[in-house]
Amino acid sequence: MAKITMTVNGRQVSGQCHDRTLLVHFIRENLGLTGTHVGCDTSQCGACVVHMDGMSIKSCSTLAAQAAGSEITTIEGLAANGELHPVQAAFKANHGLQCGFCTPGMVMTAVDMIRRHGGQLDEATVRAELEGNICRCTGYHNIVKAILAASAEMGGARVAAE
Amino acid sequence: MYETHYHRASSIQDAVKLKQAAGEGKYLAGGMTLIPTMKQRLAAPTDLIDLRHVSEMRGIKVTGKTVRIAAATTHFEVASSAELAAVCPAICGLASHIGDPHVRHMGTIGGSLANNDPAADYPSAMLALDATIVTDRREIAAGDFFTGLFETALEDGELVTAITFEAPAKAAYQKFANPASRYAMAGVFVARRDNGDVRVAVTGAGSSGVFRHKGMETALSSNWSPDALANVPVDASDLLSDIHADATYRANLVKVMAKRAVAAA
């Protein structure tokens, strides 16, 4: 057992865990943040996606020890002051979820995708970027719609700010 | 996952020392193959030596046509390097289609090469670009590095620290990805030098891993066009057969991917 310290959703946290403990288990069990899901356990489904130092990663394929000292953002860290993040709001408005199990990973992936593409996304790019996220309910259609809507809104907000 | 001991290396020297001191240790780069394998209990290293924080193992340097990619550089960094795209866009394109975005944020070129998965993309680029694999103790030509399925010329404890190559005049990579895993069922990297030398390297299809196709190289040396490959035979007897594609189907894919690569270069 070792003591691991990292910043999660802006707060410095620490906890005792084994060297083999996966980041997703540290987040869920040590920190009680159960929004991040374990879907497949074989590194394919993307339900566990969080951001480490600003980049989307699979927390089921990363050790908590690897993340020590880093800045982690989970789905719980997106909404600010009781307001949904634009991507969360777009998933709600476009019915981008059914059972909701994959949704935390989808939303974290979408936020990362929109950031990297600077709000310039088209449908083909969104579908290609969703390679690592599996949804068994929606057929992806409304997820893609939600991401495009959020991207347009966030891109527009950036232009307005400039 | 079995119990293991985590160590964070601060330099190449430190990493090699930690590995020497470990029992059955393994270097951990992005972990995009190693950790899933450990989760399935197919690997059980006693120690993991994390390379992500070794700054001398990160980054891309382009000097004229000479390219140096440090081994712990991620696929995302290779895919999005403007400097690299200016001299060898083919390798950026290759990196941009490895796995998925999350894998590309963690997975590294050195990790991919040291693992030498027969369906990995990078080995074909190294072979076709006549790259040099730099380790903590020597330099190994790509042609001598890949020795079989998941086998390389690396000695026990030897650490890949960088790769170097001269940017070619033209190059391209095309793969037919497995619809589920996205690994190459056949991937072909073609490269042509300023002096007219051509290399064609095939991944995903060979029963002994990545290989060069001399017949296609000869045909393309005299005529750099997809049509030049029309009558070049691809022998299916040394190719992989599995539930996804048998050897004759893969042989056809190799030809088609090679033609597409030449057309795209």
Side-chain angles (χ1 to χ4, degrees), chain A residues 18-22 41-44 46 49 52-53 55-58 60-69 105 109 112 115-116 128-133, chain B residues 1-8 28-32 35-36 38-41 48 50 52-53 74 76-77 99-106 179-182:
Chain A
H18 292 284
D19 284 9
R20 64 177 165 178
T21 300
L22 295 168
D41 218 21
T42 50
S43 310
Q44 284 153 321
V49 168
M52 180 160 76
D53 297 326
M55 310 281 261
S56 64
I57 61 151
K58 293 176 187 175
C60 81
S61 303
T62 307
L63 300 174
Q66 283 176 283
T109 297
D112 174 79
R115 175 189 61 77
R116 277 187 287 112
E129 286 273 350
L130 288 177
E131 181 77 61
N133 293 78
Chain B
M1 192 187 298
Y2 292 108
E3 190 55 90
T4 189
H5 299 283
Y6 173 87
H7 311 271
R8 187 173 286 190
L28 173 66
M32 292 295 95
I35 291 181
M38 289 174 69
K39 282 167 64 176
Q40 298 197 334
R41 295 191 165 185
L48 291 172
D50 188 354
R52 283 183 67 244
H53 303 270
T74 64
F76 172 73
E77 288 162 344
D100 58 50
H102 325 306
V103 166
R104 294 195 286 272
H105 286 157
M106 289 294 282
S181 73
R182 314 310 287 173

Side-chain angles (χ1 to χ4, degrees), chain A:
Chain A
M1 298 285 264
K3 190 180 173 193
I4 301 275
T5 301
M6 64 184 82
T7 305
V8 177
N9 301 332
R11 284 181 43 224
Q12 193 173 328
V13 296
S14 41
Q16 292 283 337
C17 68
H18 292 284
D19 284 9
R20 64 177 165 178
T21 300
L22 295 168
L23 177 59
V24 68
H25 293 135
F26 184 82
I27 289 170
R28 289 177 57 86
E29 289 158 27
N30 286 61
L31 306 179
L33 297 171
T34 55
T36 303
H37 291 168
V38 180
C40 64
D41 218 21
T42 50
S43 310
Q44 284 153 321
C45 81
C48 67
V49 168
V50 300
H51 296 179
M52 180 160 76
D53 297 326
M55 310 281 261
S56 64
I57 61 151
K58 293 176 187 175
S59 62
C60 81
S61 303
T62 307
L63 300 174
Q66 283 176 283
S70 71
E71 295 210 8
I72 300 291
T73 307
T74 71
I75 188 73
E76 291 90 345
L78 286 188
N81 308 317
E83 292 269 330
L84 289 180
H85 183 280
V87 174
Q88 292 173 306
F91 268 69
K92 187 178 176 206
N94 290 279
H95 194 59
L97 60 146
Q98 287 181 28
C99 87
F101 194 87
C102 72
T103 311
M106 287 286 178
V107 170
M108 297 311 287
T109 297
V111 171
D112 174 79
M113 181 193 314
I114 293 168
R115 175 189 61 77
R116 277 187 287 112
H117 290 272
Q120 302 291 313
L121 279 171
D122 54 36
E123 184 184 338
T125 308
V126 172
R127 288 186 182 273
E129 286 273 350
L130 288 177
E131 181 77 61
N133 293 78
I134 295 174
C135 171
R136 297 290 79 157
C137 307
T138 63
Y140 302 94
H141 194 67
N142 286 353
I143 292 174
V144 174
K145 249 167 69 182
I147 296 172
L148 288 171
S151 171
E153 195 198 326
M154 292 165 74
R158 194 186 335 268
V159 172
E162 284 164 4

Side-chain angles (χ1 to χ4, degrees), chain B residues 109-133:
Chain B
I109 186 167
S112 171
L113 297 178
N115 191 46
N116 193 21
D117 188 307
D121 300 299
Y122 270 129
S124 66
M126 297 300 102
L127 214 45
L129 293 168
D130 195 15
T132 301
I133 319 294

